[in-house]
Amino acid sequence: MDTTVRNLDEQAYTALRARAALEGCTVDELINEAIRSYLGRSAVKRGTASLRSLRPEPYPEGNERLSSEIDAVVYGAPR
């Protein structure tokens, strides 16, 4: 599909062109990838979000004692 997009951020578009050149692909390919990625995200309508819709994410390695360390800072609990 051919289309024209106006009012793009000039610096962002220049950076996108440079990234396309470095990756050996076209700007069109990167834009299509960005659109697909955006559409693949879960859609949360403004005002309808719920804490129930949140999903837990694991902490990175090295944070196994994070809760205890926070308690020590906040409450003075022993480490």
Side-chain angles (χ1 to χ4, degrees):
M1 174 179 138
D2 289 334
T3 188
T4 300
V5 179
R6 294 190 174 120
N7 301 317
L8 294 176
D9 179 281
E10 187 174 348
Q11 289 179 330
Y13 185 74
T14 300
L16 183 67
R17 283 187 14 222
R19 174 79 57 93
L22 288 172
E23 293 185 12
C25 61
T26 66
V27 170
D28 300 13
E29 291 169 327
L30 291 183
I31 290 173
N32 281 318
E33 181 182 331
I35 291 170
R36 286 187 196 98
S37 176
Y38 178 80
L39 293 173
R41 297 184 337 187
S42 62
V44 177
K45 293 182 181 179
R46 175 172 259 150
T48 62
S50 166
L51 290 177
R52 292 177 192 228
S53 65
L54 294 176
R55 298 291 173 242
E57 295 183 21
Y59 281 101
E61 287 187 34
N63 290 299
E64 292 80 12
R65 296 185 34 80
L66 186 59
S67 179
S68 299
E69 292 173 8
I70 290 172
D71 286 349
V73 170
V74 174
Y75 304 110
R79 291 184 180 195

